[in-house]
Amino acid sequence: MPIYEAPVADTMFVLFDVLGFERHRNLSGFEEAGRETVEAILNEGAKFARDRLLPLNQVGDREGCRRDEAGNVTTPAGFVSAYQAYGEAGWSGLAADPDHGGMGLPYALATAMTEYITTANMAFGMYPGLTQGAIAALTLHGSEEQKSLYLSKMISGEWSGTMNLTESQAGTDLGLIRTKATPQDDGSYVLSGAKIFISAGEHDLSENIVHLVLARIEGAPEGTKGISLFVVPKLIPNANGALGARNAVSCGSLEHKMGIHGNATCAMNYDNAIGWLVGEENKGLRAMFTMMNEARLAVAVQGLGQSEIAYQNAAAYAKDRLQGRALDDIRDLDRPADPLLVHPDVRRMLLSIRAFNEAARALVLWTALKGDVAHRSDDETERQTADDTMGLMTPVLKGVLTDTGFENTIVAQQVLGGHGYIAEWGMEQFARDARVAMIYEGANGIQALDLVGRKLPANGGRAIMAFLKEVKEDLKNVGDDDVLAPLAAPVKAGLDDLEAATWWFMQHAMAQPNNAAAGSTDYMHLFGLVGLGYMWVRMAHAAREQIRAGAGDRTAWLEAKLDLAHFFMARIMPETKAHLARITSGADVVMKMPAAAF
Ligand SMILES: Cc1cc2nc3c(=O)[nH]c(=O)nc-3n(C[C@H](O)[C@H](O)[C@H](O)COP(=O)(O)OP(=O)(O)OC[C@H]3O[C@@H](n4cnc5c(N)ncnc54)[C@H](O)[C@@H]3O)c2cc1C
């Protein structure tokens, strides 16, 4: 069976030694989150991920979910009791509002936990994960009555949540949604329509399922301007929260798919189901975006998670498997052959994955901390800057971590040779599971367009300017240190490439928007590399200072950080140049060939 140990030491290093978690003590929830408490929570989470969820990962993949003729869905063996244990341990309410039964701890801490859960079992993690997004949307946009009816049950995990956007004719283009909502005299609505691909749409884990559904109120304007958000519970609660009648929403079928078999992907039928408007009429997309932004970060973490578990298993295999001889004097003649790990090309594969994973973890936690500042700071300017950065980083993280995360699962599979292709080792499942993260929550091409088309120009470029300023100022902190300065130099070069690409868009995309669209995916990856490189400089800085101060038995661990930083700068950071070259080649090479020639 595949192995997984959650990287608690790394999370702690990033949060406390690199990102200065304790400097956020002024924010609510942080005063209870001292180093020891955080470490204890993470250790418990690591144990839960390893002991409860990892053993179900292959079971879930093999068994999948089953639907009976009445439309009830059964999850794989062991999921129900693991879900109960998850709720009882309080994992679902870690960062949630204490007024509704949550613990109110930092979002950054909950994000670290999300990584552990999704890494051990991505299909399982989606059930509570989607609920988190639904909680966020109801918290921000729900009426007081809706909040008191739904939030505490969802935060405890007794009720779960879903997001219902997609219809067969409406995927990326949500303006094409047809599900209809008809107002009733009592203020409720009757919904009719069919949704497809709804994750966790029906299952046996929670006693109720709260669907957040996009639909068009009769007579609403065409396109995205006429879409509203509704809460549609599977079982309709009465005013005191007790479960009542079954609503007319059902799972018509389960999709057969490439991965995440343990998660039920449902076609959902709304046959005059009762729902209630969330937020304002025709402003449903805005409200749903709250849920999607939360979900996008969680999906980014799925990319990192599959990359991490693939790395851990590939590294263990490379240390153990004996094949061939080393080309230099590290060969061990007492054994019939040397371990795979002696071969430079195997090391290249493992180091590329690991150098990505550790920087990606830091970038996720850096962004999650911005989320804490954006939602919990008393200072309006600070809140706004943090919110800008979060908005900017969300498409970058979603797109880059899932694209590269998936590629890394393939690279890790390669480390095992033919054994990587055989189901027993688990490597092919990581690749199959990781693949969908590039597609849902807005396909990655759409993330790139969101970055270039919306996030860059918003408020006159305020977010990108603040990001560039913060990175430049931090890079100055390394001074002329003989280890750190050579690490900062490639990031400065990457920043120059990013600025050149941004400037090129400003000059060439106004008159011809295809110039921005054709370069958007490269821009997103260029941005991601700068973010990851920046994290490596900060991690190297913290590691170097600790080594200088005398790190005792942690020295080797910290020196590995410096080795990885050097690898990243030498082998990965130079890719910014290729991205810039593609961006500035413009749209013509992409658009010139006529449709008939395809
Ligand atoms: C396993 C799974 C689970 C899912 N879970 C949910 C869920 O819980 N809730 C939910 O509502 N949906 C869910 N989805 C749906 C998912 O979000 C959509 O599949 C996704 O948004 C893309 O829509 P589509 O499949 O219709 O592709 P399309 O919109 O047809 O897009 C196809 C391709 O064209 C590109 N494209 C489309 N339009 C443009 C454009 N304007 N510019 C450039 N490129 C473009 C896209 O990037 C994509 O690569 C799930 C899907 C899967 C596979």
Side-chain angles (χ1 to χ4, degrees):
M1 195 186 86
I3 54 161
Y4 172 57
E5 284 295 337
V8 175
D10 199 36
T11 309
M12 289 298 293
F13 172 72
V14 170
L15 284 178
F16 286 89
D17 304 335
V18 179
L19 301 180
F21 192 81
E22 280 165 315
R23 284 202 305 270
H24 295 76
R25 282 269 162 141
N26 58 324
L27 304 181
S28 69
F30 278 71
E31 62 278 17
E32 291 87 31
R35 193 181 260 268
E36 278 173 22
T37 310
V38 169
E39 191 163 22
I41 293 174
L42 291 176
N43 276 326
E44 277 308 305
K47 238 193 293 172
F48 187 82
R50 184 194 58 211
D51 299 342
R52 292 302 303 258
L53 299 183
L54 182 67
L56 299 180
N57 198 32
Q58 282 185 306
V59 176
D61 188 51
R62 271 196 308 270
E63 279 186 23
C65 296
R66 282 185 299 274
R67 176 186 171 278
D68 67 18
E69 281 181 11
N72 302 309
V73 172
T74 313
T75 52
F79 271 44
V80 170
S81 66
Y83 184 83
Q84 266 164 6
Y86 183 92
E88 280 159 18
W91 297 126
S92 25
L94 216 53
D97 186 351
D99 287 348
H100 297 284
M103 291 184 223
L105 287 165
Y107 172 57
L109 173 58
T111 305
M113 268 304 300
T114 302
E115 183 197 328
Y116 300 174
I117 302 299
T118 196
T119 308
N121 195 325
M122 179 166 153
F124 176 92
M126 288 172 69
Y127 293 102
L130 279 152
T131 308
Q132 291 304 321
I135 291 169
L138 282 172
T139 304
L140 272 184
H141 304 285
S143 64
E144 286 310 315
E145 199 187 341
Q146 288 167 345
K147 286 188 214 175
S148 71
L149 196 53
Y150 294 105
L151 285 181
S152 61
K153 294 280 189 185
M154 293 171 80
I155 286 168
S156 69
E158 288 162 90
W159 298 358
S160 59
T162 71
M163 51 192 290
N164 287 237
L165 293 78
T166 308
E167 299 178 7
S168 57
Q169 78 294 344
T172 300
D173 189 351
L174 295 170
L176 300 175
I177 279 176
R178 284 194 206 127
T179 297
K180 199 173 72 180
T182 312
Q184 305 296 294
D185 292 342
D186 65 358
S188 68
Y189 289 77
V190 165
L191 274 82
S192 57
K195 298 282 177 183
I196 62 166
F197 298 168
I198 304 307
S199 299
E202 176 59 34
H203 55 78
D204 54 358
L205 301 183
S206 56
E207 62 180 20
N208 199 9
I209 303 177
V210 179
H211 301 288
L212 288 185
V213 185
L214 287 183
R216 197 177 284 289
I217 298 174
E218 276 183 343
E222 291 289 298
T224 51
K225 292 201 171 80
I227 292 178
S228 304
L229 180 66
F230 297 88
V231 56
V232 184
K234 172 179 159 183
L235 298 171
I236 301 175
N238 64 26
N240 63 18
L243 290 178
R246 172 80 204 234
N247 207 346
V249 49
S250 59
C251 168
S253 63
L254 286 179
E255 308 292 351
H256 298 280
K257 54 193 194 287
M258 177 174 173
I260 52 163
H261 292 158
N263 194 271
T265 309
C266 305
M268 300 298 296
N269 297 325
Y270 291 83
D271 300 312
N272 294 329
I274 314 284
W276 289 266
L277 184 69
V278 178
E280 290 175 52
E281 259 185 40
N282 301 331
K283 298 271 170 63
L285 272 187
R286 209 181 50 141
M288 191 56 114
F289 265 112
T290 307
M291 179 161 185
M292 282 158 73
N293 275 335
E294 181 111 351
R296 279 175 182 172
L297 268 187
V299 173
V301 175
Q302 291 181 333
L304 163 62
Q306 295 312 295
S307 181
E308 173 68 26
I309 194 167
Y311 167 80
Q312 289 194 15
N313 284 279
Y317 188 87
K319 284 192 221 166
D320 196 47
R321 169 85 168 161
L322 305 181
Q323 288 292 297
R325 281 292 179 202
L327 299 176
D328 55 20
D329 56 9
I330 56 176
R331 63 179 72 109
D332 177 359
L333 294 176
D334 290 339
R335 294 203 274 185
D338 290 317
L340 290 177
L341 196 60
V342 302
H343 303 303
D345 195 57
V346 173
R347 286 177 153 255
R348 171 192 64 79
M349 293 192 270
L350 290 170
L351 287 168
S352 326
I353 307 174
R354 178 142 163 209
F356 168 82
N357 289 353
E358 293 188 10
R361 177 169 304 116
L363 199 57
V364 162
L365 295 175
W366 179 75
T367 308
L369 269 177
K370 299 277 182 200
D372 279 313
V373 175
H375 293 123
R376 302 181 189 206
S377 172
D378 292 333
D379 181 321
E380 202 188 322
T381 318
E382 205 177 68
R383 267 204 319 268
Q384 184 194 66
T385 311
D387 193 53
D388 281 352
T389 310
M390 247 205 129
L392 188 69
M393 294 313 290
T394 300
V396 175
L397 286 171
K398 197 285 183 179
V400 175
L401 269 55
T402 62
D403 275 356
T404 314
F406 170 70
E407 282 166 22
N408 285 348
T409 62
I410 301 287
V411 174
Q413 194 182 22
Q414 191 75 9
V415 171
L416 275 79
H419 301 274
Y421 198 70
I422 302 301
E424 184 194 340
W425 288 86
M427 300 301 286
E428 53 84 50
Q429 184 191 346
F430 304 144
R432 284 187 290 104
D433 285 356
R435 181 66 183 87
V436 73
M438 299 159 72
I439 297 172
Y440 57 25
E441 289 310 329
N444 284 356
I446 304 305
Q447 302 300 324
L449 288 177
D450 176 47
L451 174 65
V452 165
R454 268 195 227 126
K455 302 289 168 57
L456 275 190
N459 305 304
R462 192 173 71 196
I464 174 91
M465 286 190 292
F467 172 82
L468 293 171
K469 184 162 169 257
E470 182 169 351
V471 177
K472 280 181 191 168
E473 276 172 14
D474 270 347
L475 290 180
K476 278 191 212 142
N477 290 339
V478 307
D480 56 4
D481 181 284
D482 58 344
V483 170
L484 299 177
L487 293 173
V491 181
K492 282 185 193 144
L495 263 181
D496 290 345
D497 293 338
L498 183 63
E499 283 186 288
T502 312
W503 182 239
W504 192 89
F505 281 156
M506 281 161 62
Q507 288 175 313
H508 296 88
M510 290 289 216
Q512 176 48 280
N514 276 344
N515 276 325
S520 57
T521 289
D522 277 292
Y523 186 86
M524 179 177 77
H525 280 277
L526 167 48
F527 204 125
L529 286 169
V530 169
L532 296 169
Y534 167 49
M535 287 299 118
W536 267 123
V537 173
R538 291 191 59 171
M539 288 192 286
H541 199 164
R544 177 118 168 106
E545 280 185 354
Q546 290 189 4
I547 293 168
R548 272 211 188 110
D553 55 7
R554 265 170 65 81
T555 306
W557 190 88
L558 292 165
E559 277 171 352
K561 283 271 172 211
L562 294 175
D563 291 340
L564 284 162
H566 284 292
F567 178 90
F568 188 89
M569 296 310 163
R571 302 294 294 243
I572 301 180
M573 203 63 212
E575 286 166 21
T576 58
K577 298 265 168 291
H579 289 302
L580 178 62
R582 287 192 209 113
I583 292 164
T584 53
S585 71
D588 282 354
V589 282
V590 177
M591 300 307 288
K592 187 164 168 292
M593 197 162 92
F598 277 84

